[in-house]
Coordinates of all heavy atoms in Angstrom, one line a residue:
A18 N 210.4 -25.3 224.4 CA 210.5 -24.0 223.8 C 211.1 -24.1 222.5 O 210.7 -23.5 221.5 CB 211.2 -22.9 224.7
Q19 N 212.3 -24.7 222.4 CA 213.1 -25.0 221.1 C 213.5 -26.3 221.0 O 214.2 -26.8 222.0 CB 214.1 -23.9 221.1 CG 215.2 -24.0 219.9 CD 214.5 -23.6 218.6 OE1 213.9 -22.7 218.6 NE2 214.9 -24.3 217.5
R20 N 213.0 -27.1 220.1 CA 213.5 -28.5 220.1 C 214.9 -28.5 219.8 O 215.5 -27.6 219.4 CB 212.7 -29.2 218.9 CG 213.0 -28.8 217.6 CD 212.4 -29.7 216.5 NE 212.7 -29.3 215.1 CZ 213.7 -29.5 214.6 NH1 214.8 -30.0 215.1 NH2 214.1 -29.1 213.3
T21 N 215.5 -29.6 220.1 CA 216.9 -29.8 219.9 C 217.4 -29.8 218.5 O 216.5 -30.4 217.6 CB 217.5 -31.1 220.6 OG1 216.7 -32.2 220.0 CG2 217.3 -31.1 222.0
T22 N 218.3 -29.1 218.1 CA 218.6 -28.9 216.6 C 219.2 -30.2 216.1 O 220.0 -30.8 216.9 CB 219.6 -27.8 216.5 OG1 220.8 -27.9 217.3 CG2 219.0 -26.5 216.9
Y23 N 219.0 -30.4 214.9 CA 219.5 -31.6 214.3 C 220.8 -31.4 213.5 O 221.5 -32.4 213.1 CB 218.5 -32.2 213.3 CG 218.1 -31.3 212.3 CD1 218.8 -31.2 211.0 CD2 216.8 -30.5 212.4 CE1 218.2 -30.2 210.1 CE2 216.6 -29.6 211.5 CZ 217.2 -29.5 210.3 OH 216.8 -28.7 209.3
E24 N 221.4 -30.1 213.6 CA 222.4 -29.8 212.8 C 223.1 -28.6 213.5 O 222.4 -27.6 213.8 CB 222.2 -29.6 211.4 CG 223.3 -29.3 210.5 CD 223.1 -29.0 209.1 OE1 222.1 -29.7 208.6 OE2 223.5 -28.1 208.5
I25 N 224.3 -28.8 213.8 CA 225.2 -27.6 214.5 C 226.3 -27.4 213.5 O 227.1 -28.3 213.0 CB 225.7 -28.0 215.9 CG1 224.5 -28.3 216.8 CG2 226.5 -26.9 216.4 CD1 224.8 -28.9 218.1
S26 N 226.5 -26.1 213.2 CA 227.7 -25.8 212.3 C 229.0 -25.9 213.0 O 229.0 -26.1 214.2 CB 227.5 -24.3 211.8 OG 227.7 -23.4 212.9
Q27 N 230.0 -25.8 212.3 CA 231.5 -26.0 212.9 C 231.7 -25.0 213.9 O 232.5 -25.2 214.8 CB 232.5 -26.1 211.9 CG 232.4 -27.3 210.8 CD 233.4 -27.3 209.8 OE1 234.1 -26.2 209.5 NE2 233.5 -28.3 209.0
D28 N 231.2 -23.8 213.8 CA 231.4 -22.7 214.8 C 230.5 -22.9 216.0 O 230.6 -22.0 216.8 CB 231.5 -21.3 214.3 CG 230.1 -21.0 213.6 OD1 229.2 -21.8 213.6 OD2 230.0 -19.9 213.2
G29 N 229.7 -23.9 216.1 CA 228.8 -24.0 217.2 C 227.4 -23.4 217.1 O 226.7 -23.4 218.1
N30 N 227.1 -22.8 215.9 CA 225.9 -22.1 215.8 C 224.7 -23.1 215.6 O 225.0 -24.1 214.7 CB 226.0 -21.1 214.7 CG 224.8 -20.3 214.5 OD1 223.6 -20.7 214.4 ND2 225.0 -19.1 214.4
E31 N 223.7 -23.0 216.3 CA 222.6 -24.0 216.1 C 221.4 -23.4 215.4 O 220.3 -24.1 215.3 CB 222.2 -24.5 217.5 CG 223.3 -25.1 218.1 CD 222.8 -25.6 219.6 OE1 221.6 -25.8 219.7 OE2 223.7 -26.0 220.5
V32 N 221.5 -22.3 214.8 CA 220.3 -21.6 214.1 C 220.1 -22.4 212.7 O 221.0 -22.5 211.9 CB 220.7 -20.2 213.8 CG1 219.5 -19.6 212.9 CG2 220.6 -19.5 215.2
Q33 N 219.0 -23.0 212.4 CA 218.6 -23.5 211.1 C 217.8 -22.5 210.3 O 216.7 -22.3 210.8 CB 217.9 -24.8 211.3 CG 218.8 -25.9 212.1 CD 219.9 -26.2 211.2 OE1 219.9 -26.4 210.0 NE2 221.1 -26.3 211.9
L34 N 218.3 -21.8 209.4 CA 217.6 -20.9 208.7 C 216.3 -21.1 208.3 O 215.2 -20.5 208.3 CB 218.5 -20.3 207.7 CG 218.0 -19.0 207.0 CD1 217.9 -17.9 208.0 CD2 219.0 -18.5 206.0
D35 N 216.2 -22.4 207.6 CA 215.0 -22.8 206.9 C 213.8 -23.0 208.1 O 212.6 -22.7 208.0 CB 215.0 -24.1 206.2 CG 215.7 -25.3 207.0 OD1 216.3 -25.0 208.0 OD2 215.7 -26.4 206.5
E36 N 214.3 -23.6 209.2 CA 213.3 -23.7 210.4 C 212.8 -22.4 210.9 O 211.5 -22.2 211.1 CB 214.0 -24.5 211.4 CG 213.2 -24.7 212.8 CD 214.1 -25.5 213.8 OE1 215.2 -25.3 213.7 OE2 213.4 -26.1 214.5
Q37 N 213.7 -21.4 211.0 CA 213.4 -20.1 211.6 C 212.3 -19.4 210.5 O 211.4 -18.6 211.0 CB 214.8 -19.3 211.8 CG 215.5 -19.8 212.9 CD 214.9 -19.9 214.2 OE1 214.1 -19.1 214.7 NE2 214.9 -21.1 214.8
L38 N 212.6 -19.5 209.3 CA 211.8 -18.9 208.2 C 210.4 -19.5 208.2 O 209.4 -18.8 208.1 CB 212.4 -19.0 206.9 CG 213.7 -18.1 206.6 CD1 214.4 -18.5 205.3 CD2 213.4 -16.8 206.8
I39 N 210.3 -20.8 208.5 CA 209.1 -21.4 208.6 C 208.2 -20.9 209.8 O 207.0 -20.6 209.6 CB 209.0 -23.0 208.7 CG1 209.5 -23.6 207.4 CG2 207.8 -23.7 209.1 CD1 210.0 -25.0 207.4
K40 N 208.9 -20.8 211.0 CA 208.3 -20.3 212.1 C 207.8 -18.7 211.9 O 206.8 -18.4 212.3 CB 209.3 -20.4 213.3 CG 209.5 -21.7 214.0 CD 210.4 -21.6 215.0 CE 210.7 -23.0 215.6 NZ 211.5 -23.1 216.7
L41 N 208.8 -18.0 211.2 CA 208.4 -16.8 210.9 C 207.1 -16.6 210.1 O 206.3 -15.7 210.2 CB 209.6 -15.9 210.2 CG 209.8 -14.5 210.3 CD1 209.8 -14.0 211.7 CD2 211.1 -14.0 209.5
A42 N 207.0 -17.4 209.1 CA 205.8 -17.4 208.2 C 204.5 -17.8 208.9 O 203.5 -17.1 208.9 CB 206.0 -18.3 207.0
A43 N 204.6 -18.8 209.8 CA 203.5 -19.2 210.7 C 203.2 -18.0 211.6 O 202.0 -17.8 211.8 CB 203.9 -20.4 211.5
N44 N 204.2 -17.4 212.0 CA 203.9 -16.2 213.0 C 203.2 -15.1 212.3 O 202.3 -14.4 212.7 CB 205.2 -15.7 213.6 CG 205.1 -14.8 214.8 OD1 204.4 -15.2 215.8 ND2 205.7 -13.5 214.7
S45 N 203.6 -14.8 211.0 CA 202.9 -13.8 210.2 C 201.5 -14.2 209.9 O 200.6 -13.4 209.9 CB 203.7 -13.7 208.9 OG 203.1 -12.8 208.0
S46 N 201.3 -15.4 209.7 CA 199.8 -15.9 209.5 C 199.0 -15.8 210.7 O 197.8 -15.4 210.7 CB 199.7 -17.4 209.0 OG 200.4 -17.5 207.8
A47 N 199.5 -16.1 211.9 CA 198.8 -15.9 213.2 C 198.5 -14.3 213.4 O 197.5 -14.0 213.8 CB 199.8 -16.3 214.3
H48 N 199.4 -13.5 213.0 CA 199.1 -12.0 213.1 C 198.0 -11.6 212.2 O 197.1 -10.9 212.7 CB 200.4 -11.2 212.8 CG 200.3 -9.8 212.9 ND1 199.8 -9.0 211.8 CD2 200.4 -9.0 213.9 CE1 199.7 -7.7 212.3 NE2 200.1 -7.7 213.5
R49 N 198.0 -12.2 211.0 CA 197.0 -11.8 210.0 C 195.6 -12.3 210.5 O 194.6 -11.5 210.3 CB 197.3 -12.3 208.6 CG 196.5 -11.8 207.5 CD 197.0 -12.4 206.1 NE 198.4 -12.3 206.0 CZ 199.2 -13.6 205.9 NH1 198.5 -14.7 205.9 NH2 200.5 -13.5 205.7
L50 N 195.7 -13.4 210.9 CA 194.3 -14.1 211.5 C 193.8 -13.3 212.7 O 192.7 -13.0 212.7 CB 194.6 -15.5 211.9 CG 193.4 -16.3 212.6 CD1 192.4 -16.5 211.6 CD2 193.9 -17.5 213.2
T51 N 194.6 -12.9 213.5 CA 194.2 -12.2 214.8 C 193.7 -10.7 214.4 O 192.8 -10.4 215.0 CB 195.4 -12.1 215.8 OG1 195.9 -13.4 216.1 CG2 194.9 -11.4 217.0
T52 N 194.4 -10.1 213.5 CA 193.9 -8.8 213.2 C 192.6 -8.8 212.3 O 191.7 -8.1 212.6 CB 194.9 -8.0 212.2 OG1 195.3 -8.8 211.2 CG2 196.2 -7.6 213.1
N53 N 192.4 -9.8 211.6 CA 191.1 -10.0 210.9 C 190.0 -10.3 211.8 O 189.0 -9.7 211.7 CB 191.3 -11.2 209.9 CG 192.0 -10.9 208.7 OD1 192.2 -9.6 208.3 ND2 192.5 -11.8 207.9
L54 N 190.3 -11.2 212.8 CA 189.3 -11.5 213.8 C 188.9 -10.2 214.6 O 187.8 -10.0 214.9 CB 189.7 -12.6 214.7 CG 189.8 -14.0 214.1 CD1 190.4 -15.0 215.2 CD2 188.3 -14.4 213.8
Y55 N 189.9 -9.5 215.1 CA 189.9 -8.2 215.7 C 188.8 -7.2 214.9 O 187.9 -6.7 215.5 CB 191.1 -7.6 216.1 CG 191.0 -6.4 217.0 CD1 191.2 -6.6 218.5 CD2 190.8 -5.2 216.5 CE1 191.1 -5.6 219.3 CE2 190.7 -4.0 217.5 CZ 190.9 -4.3 218.9 OH 190.8 -3.2 219.7
N56 N 189.1 -7.0 213.8 CA 188.5 -6.2 212.8 C 187.0 -6.6 212.6 O 186.1 -5.8 212.6 CB 189.1 -6.0 211.5 CG 190.4 -5.2 211.6 OD1 190.5 -4.3 212.5 ND2 191.3 -5.3 210.7
K57 N 186.9 -7.9 212.5 CA 185.5 -8.3 212.3 C 184.7 -8.3 213.6 O 183.4 -7.9 213.5 CB 185.5 -10.0 212.0 CG 186.1 -10.3 210.6 CD 185.2 -9.7 209.5 CE 185.9 -9.9 208.2 NZ 185.1 -9.3 207.0
H58 N 185.3 -8.4 214.7 CA 184.4 -8.1 215.9 C 184.1 -6.7 216.2 O 183.0 -6.4 216.6 CB 185.3 -8.7 217.2 CG 185.1 -10.1 217.4 ND1 185.9 -11.1 216.8 CD2 184.3 -10.8 218.2 CE1 185.3 -12.2 217.1 NE2 184.5 -12.1 218.1
V59 N 185.1 -5.8 215.9 CA 184.8 -4.3 216.0 C 183.8 -3.9 214.9 O 182.7 -3.2 215.4 CB 186.0 -3.6 215.7 CG1 185.7 -2.0 215.6 CG2 187.2 -3.8 216.9
T60 N 183.7 -4.5 213.8 CA 182.6 -4.2 212.8 C 181.4 -4.7 213.3 O 180.2 -4.0 213.2 CB 183.0 -5.0 211.5 OG1 184.2 -4.4 211.0 CG2 182.0 -4.6 210.4
M61 N 181.3 -6.0 213.9 CA 180.0 -6.5 214.4 C 179.4 -5.6 215.6 O 178.4 -5.4 215.6 CB 180.3 -7.9 214.9 CG 179.1 -8.5 215.5 SD 179.4 -10.3 216.0 CE 180.5 -10.0 217.4
L62 N 180.4 -5.1 216.4 CA 179.9 -4.3 217.6 C 179.4 -3.0 217.0 O 178.4 -2.5 217.6 CB 181.0 -4.0 218.6 CG 181.5 -5.3 219.3 CD1 182.7 -5.1 220.1 CD2 180.4 -5.7 220.2
R63 N 180.0 -2.5 216.0 CA 179.6 -1.2 215.5 C 178.2 -1.3 214.7 O 177.3 -0.4 215.0 CB 180.5 -0.6 214.4 CG 181.7 0.0 215.0 CD 182.7 0.7 214.0 NE 183.8 1.3 214.7 CZ 184.9 1.6 214.1 NH1 184.9 1.5 212.7 NH2 185.9 2.3 214.6
L64 N 177.9 -2.5 214.1 CA 176.6 -2.7 213.5 C 175.6 -2.9 214.6 O 174.5 -2.4 214.5 CB 176.8 -3.9 212.6 CG 177.4 -3.7 211.4 CD1 177.7 -5.1 210.6 CD2 176.7 -2.8 210.5

């Protein structure tokens, strides 16, 4: 689910901001792709 982190801060926090932002961008692209596919299928059915 979450690969082991390669860097841990001194307070024990394992969040890598760059890694989370990359995942967030990929998630946004997946949302855009799915909504486009959904809209195209609805348009096709209406036609």
Side-chain angles (χ1 to χ4, degrees):
Q19 173 73 35
R20 69 172 177 77
T21 55
T22 56
Y23 55 89
E24 184 177 317
I25 299 174
S26 65
Q27 291 180 350
D28 61 357
N30 188 310
E31 298 181 17
V32 176
Q33 299 298 315
L34 191 58
D35 55 345
E36 180 182 24
Q37 297 300 316
L38 290 174
I39 290 170
K40 288 181 180 183
L41 204 59
N44 199 51
S45 176
S46 295
H48 181 271
R49 193 174 321 111
L50 173 70
T51 305
T52 53
N53 286 341
L54 287 174
Y55 188 91
N56 288 333
K57 294 294 181 184
H58 275 85
V59 169
T60 302
M61 180 181 64
L62 289 171
R63 285 184 176 168
L64 286 172

